[in-house]
Amino acid sequence: MKKTKYDSYLKNNLPLGCKYCLSGEKLVLFITGKCSRSCWYCSLSENRKKEEKTYANERPCKNIKDVILEVKENNAKGAGITGGDPLVSYNKTLNYAKTLKKEFGKNFHIHIYLPLNLVTTKKIKELSKYIDEFRFHPSFLISSENKEQEKQKIKEISGILTKKKVGLELPLIPQEKRKILNYIKDLEEYISFVNLNEFEISETNFDIITKKYKLNKDTYTISKSKKSGIWIIKKLKKSKL
């Protein structure tokens, strides 16, 4: 494990999507604020949450032409598709990814963030024609109800796409660090990377966070969140993830 110049911690190598992001070459394509889940820790703003709004970086977009314009103005080499849940607006997500690949070529790198609620192998197969990396956000941190079902989905998708294209994206909730570690271990042979995000306060989770957690001196990150991430990485010291 090493500390990077970006004030983060890294074990082994970065996925390609992260490399583009860190060099400032990725467009953030916010497809929709509507979501298939209601995570209590969600950090979306009130302005975007549950709204059918699309943004390319901070540019409101009425259509794909607006997105293409933002890509050109920023000289982006790729896009990260996020939400909400992009699968709530599946046809738009598929069309935008397809159009971006057609407009900017196969080397225009696209990754996507997805809860697993609406994920099906059919949708993933269709999206994989245009999307290079899939970053899944499982629901076990809010409920264990679909835990095994979601694991099975990830395993099936890994078999379809190869694990190189599959990873996890998880918030570092301090008291859940062991649960996060065990989940990663259970899926280790089916994924190639994990992004652990320092837990932050926002306007939509403010009430819960201020009641249950202490903040660091910066007043927006949660105490012990970063330490939990470092602990998890150290526990995975033999992992090739």
Side-chain angles (χ1 to χ4, degrees), residues 19-231:
K19 290 179 181 178
Y20 280 115
C21 283
L22 287 173
S23 62
E25 295 179 299
K26 274 259 173 157
L27 174 96
V28 179
L29 179 52
F30 182 89
I31 286 285
T32 179
K34 292 185 176 181
C35 193
S36 56
R37 289 215 307 252
S38 297
C39 301
W40 63 265
Y41 47 76
C42 180
S43 60
L44 280 188
S45 66
E46 292 288 358
N47 182 49
R48 295 194 184 190
K49 201 169 188 178
K50 299 180 181 179
E51 298 290 331
E52 187 57 45
K53 295 178 179 179
T54 300
Y55 296 85
N57 294 333
E58 296 303 313
R59 181 198 292 263
C61 296
K62 294 180 180 179
N63 50 51
I64 187 62
K65 290 181 180 178
D66 291 339
V67 178
I68 289 171
L69 179 61
E70 185 70 13
V71 172
K72 289 180 177 178
E73 288 186 357
N74 284 272
N75 195 30
K77 300 296 188 295
I81 300 177
T82 185
D85 182 352
L87 296 188
V88 170
S89 299
Y90 175 70
N91 290 333
K92 182 195 287 186
T93 299
L94 181 63
N95 177 53
Y96 279 28
K98 181 179 180 180
T99 305
L100 288 172
K101 280 288 191 183
K102 184 178 179 181
E103 180 74 21
F104 298 106
K106 65 179 182 179
N107 291 327
F108 187 85
H109 189 276
I110 302 176
H111 68 264
I112 192 168
Y113 300 91
L114 293 174
L116 285 141
N117 301 48
L118 303 179
V119 166
T120 64
T121 52
K122 181 176 183 291
K123 289 175 182 175
I124 296 301
K125 284 179 181 178
E126 290 177 335
L127 288 169
S128 66
K129 295 174 185 176
Y130 317 107
I131 291 175
D132 303 286
E133 283 177 6
F134 291 80
R135 301 170 178 216
F136 294 110
H137 179 201
S139 62
F140 72 93
L141 291 173
I142 56 172
S143 170
S144 59
E145 185 178 352
N146 298 313
K147 185 176 180 180
E148 296 307 316
Q149 182 184 357
E150 290 187 347
K151 282 183 187 176
Q152 189 56 40
K153 280 187 181 183
I154 293 173
K155 291 176 182 180
E156 289 175 6
I157 290 162
S158 177
I160 294 167
L161 303 180
T162 73
K163 71 177 188 178
K164 184 179 179 181
K165 294 186 174 183
V166 180
L168 300 177
E169 190 95 9
L170 297 164
L172 280 169
I173 301 173
Q175 75 271 23
E176 305 288 9
K177 66 180 184 180
R178 193 167 294 279
K179 189 184 292 186
I180 293 170
L181 174 64
N182 290 336
Y183 195 92
I184 293 169
K185 284 183 174 180
D186 287 347
L187 287 173
E188 188 170 358
E189 64 180 289
Y190 302 98
I191 58 177
S192 65
F193 63 92
V194 179
N195 283 347
L196 299 171
N197 300 313
E198 189 172 11
F199 195 21
E200 297 181 356
I201 197 167
S202 75
E203 62 178 314
T204 52
N205 65 28
F206 182 88
D207 290 340
I208 295 175
I209 297 299
T210 51
K211 287 177 183 177
K212 291 187 175 183
Y213 298 90
K214 291 183 179 179
L215 299 177
N216 292 319
K217 289 181 180 180
D218 59 23
T219 71
Y220 68 90
T221 58
I222 280 68
S223 176
K224 298 182 181 179
S225 179
K226 184 185 289 187
K227 287 183 180 178
S228 299
I230 293 170
W231 180 86

